[in-house]
Structures are given as structure tokens and as C-alpha cells.
Amino acid sequence: FQKLCNNLLKNLGGIMPNLVNFNNFKNFLITIFLCLFSFPAFAEINNGDTAWILTSTALVLFMTLPGLALFYAGLVNSKNVVSVLMQHFALACMVSIIWVVIGYSLAFSEGNDWIGGIGNIFMNSIELETASGSIPESLFATFQMTFAIITPALMIGAFVERIKFSAMLIFLFFWVLIVYVPVTHWVWGGGILSSWGTMDFAGGIVVHATAGIGALVTALTLGKRRGFPKSLTPPHSPILTMIGASMLWIGWFGFNAGSALGANSGAGMAMLVTHISAATASLVWMFIEWKRFGKPSLVGIVTGMVAGLATVTPASGYIGVPGGLVLGLGGGVLCYLAVDFIRGKLQIDDSLDVFAVHGVGGILGTLLVAFLATSTFSGLGLPEGQSGISQFFVQFKAVILTILWTSVFTYLILKLTSLFVSLRVDEQEEIEGLDLRSHGEKGYHTD
């Protein structure tokens, strides 16, 4: 366009040599051109997109409070149900403040390949009319806040019934800043994994891989609960677990379809494949248990649902219906086997199977999207110039980097926390239950 302006100005200059200032007039034409033809880049806030992401934001928070909290609460002993609910609620409040003060800035402000900048601490650059794409930036920041809340909340399932409440707060405070925020920047904030062309639509790496690996390291560091695995009581309330799981399923539509950041066809397809994967994995898990034990269990079928949701999450915006079926089938089978292997064979007390369900499922979906996003499976396509194999290696490298970062820093943060407060409750508190000893309340009163 500059060449076009120069030619035009030369002609004008030949006709009106005394009237045209070449440089000034050229810059004027360029400015007019950019204003007229580049205006779509400065997208106006779209009411439809805004309405959908407002809804999605509420749905994702609903996944944690009360969805995940009830899901986990039903799986523990009745004397620890209050402690689980308290951990989720307090964590949601703490992470919200972290996100406002510095987390959002470090994740999404311009920085380097590894971490964002601090130019937006306290969200000081967000004003009423500030836009992020077609939605208000205030809404985008809040939507991302709900992801930052649920990721460490998933990890609670690995150390229920034995961690000190104060230790949990200190540990997850630093974990959010040192693990979650940098990985978010790598993938969604223009960092190193983004530059590699990593595909992670709604958090297979950012949410499920980090939470799963962090949960496994924490379970190994804390050690087993008393009586694990033979003397543990079964879930005290499958009813609460099913109610919480149902809330998770509903909320996951905001999680995945909301990640399209607009009310569009991509959001519709993400919602469809999310539902398909969840339903498929639920049935897979149910039939495996039915065949193995002679009876299908409620806890089993809802655990399969979560496995299907975790597996489809990274791929949900890139795949079609066949991909949803494949990921539901693969997630149901592999996550079931992982639970059996980690709890049964390795005897690791990841109490509520966070790594086996979220970690394994999220990583599986992250790897398989390289193939399921192709036209062979009615997918939306891979990044330009990539084949299924080459994209698979991009995904694989991203997973390995995330595993290494999360493993090392989760362990170091746990050790740092232990310098200030004991990680585990004492033996008597574990016997009596955390509800009364830690919080002075009971979940149930029978008198």
C-alpha cells in the first residue's frame, strides 16, 4: 500500500507540485486506509458473545462451587466432609485474590516465552470499555479466573483426609503462582508452547496435566492415609457424589464451549463433542465394572463421566463427532486401567484418583488431538504445514515439558511449605476426623 501511495503522490506531485507535501500526505493516506480497512482488528464488543461468556464463566465457577466440592465430599468419610467443602471454598476465595493482584498479569500480559509481565497488576489496565476480542476484558479475566480456581481445586482430591488446612493454603498459594500461571502463559498467553503450535483448546495441559501431575507428587510426598488400602471406609455418600458429578457435567459446557470465547459454531461443536465423550466414557466405565464385579456402581459411572470430560477438553474445539466418540472410549478404558494400576498395583494413595482420571485423561486427549483434528475424523484441521505425526511430536514435547515443570516445582513447594507448617495432621486428628478437630463442625448430626 505504501508503494501505491508513493506512485499516487508522484502523479499528484506532477500536477500540483505546490499543493502536496509528499510525506505528510502519504502518512495521511496510510492512516485513512488503516482506519477504514483494519477496523475489524479492533473488534467491537459483541453482545451475543458477551452473554455466552458471562454464562460460561458462571458455569465454570459452578463446577468448583458446589460441583467439585460435592463430588469429592461424597467420596470421603463422613467425619471429613466439612473439611473437603471448607478447602474448596477457601481455595476459591484465595485464588480469586491472587488472580486479581498478579496472576492475570503474569499469565496474559506481554512478557517472554516463560512468563508474562507485571504491567497489569491489580488489573490496573482493565477499564469499563476495554475489549479482549469481542468481549470485555473484564469478562475474559473473570472467565480465566474460574479456570485458575478449579485447577488447584482438582488437586484437593489427592490429599483429602490427611492434610493440614494451613498447609493446604500455603502450598496451593505458591503452586498457583509457580506452576499454574506460567503454564497458562506458555499455552494461552503467547508463551513457549504457543510458539511451538501446541493445541490445547480448553486445558488438557493447562488444567488437567498440571493438576494431575501435581496431585500425584503431593500424594507421594504426603504418604498414605491410615489403613490404606484395605481398611478404608467406602464413599460415605454416593448421592452427593452423583449430584456433584452432574453439576460438573453441566458446568463443563461452559468450560469447553466457553473456550471458543464467542457464541459461534465452534462453541456449538465443542459442546456436542464434550457431551458425547462424557456419555461414552460413562458407559465404558460402567460396563467394565459390571463385567468385572457383577454390578455397575453409581460412583463408577460418574467417575467415567469425569474421565471422558477430562479427555475431550484439550481437543474439544478442534474435533468433530467421531473424535468425541474416540476420546470417550479411550478415556473410559485408559483412565479405568490407570486407577487400577496406580491404586492397586503401585499402592499410591492418590485418594480420589486425580492423576488417573484428570492427568491421564488430559494427557491422552492432548496427544490424540493431533490425529483426531484431521479430516479423516471430521476434525477442523491442524495448524498450517503440520501433519498428524509432526503435530503429535509438538503435543508430546509440550506434555513432557509440563510434566517436568510441574513435578519439580510441586515437590519444591511442598518442601518449602513443610519448613513453616507440618503438612499432615497428627495421627489422633486423622482418627477423629478433620471436621471437628480442624474446623469445629460436623457434617451430620444424628441426635
Side-chain angles (χ1 to χ4, degrees), residues 426-442:
D426 60 47
E427 185 176 4
Q428 189 59 35
E429 188 169 349
E430 191 172 347
I431 293 172
E432 294 181 20
L434 277 60
D435 288 0
L436 279 173
R437 291 291 300 270
S438 296
H439 304 290
E441 297 173 302
K442 293 174 64 175

Side-chain angles (χ1 to χ4, degrees), residues 199 315 318-320 368-382:
M199 301 172 71
Y318 307 119
I319 62 173
L368 290 186
V369 67
F371 304 108
L372 297 178
T374 62
S375 58
T376 304
F377 293 93
S378 302
L380 279 65
L382 299 173

Side-chain angles (χ1 to χ4, degrees), residues 104-121:
Y104 177 67
S105 183
L106 291 175
F108 289 100
S109 295
E110 185 175 349
N112 55 45
D113 281 348
W114 299 97
I115 196 68
I118 59 172
N120 201 12
I121 59 173

Side-chain angles (χ1 to χ4, degrees), residues 199-258:
M199 301 172 71
D200 184 7
F201 189 72
I205 292 173
V206 175
V207 176
H208 297 290
T210 58
I213 297 299
L216 184 63
V217 173
T218 306
L220 287 168
T221 304
L222 276 178
K224 305 170 185 178
R225 288 169 291 176
R226 293 183 69 261
F228 177 87
K230 295 182 178 179
S231 301
L232 293 179
T233 57
H236 91 278
S237 179
I239 297 170
L240 284 183
T241 296
M242 185 272 176
I243 293 171
S246 301
M247 293 174 175
L248 282 171
W249 194 339
I250 295 167
W252 224 290
F253 293 138
F255 199 85
N256 287 358

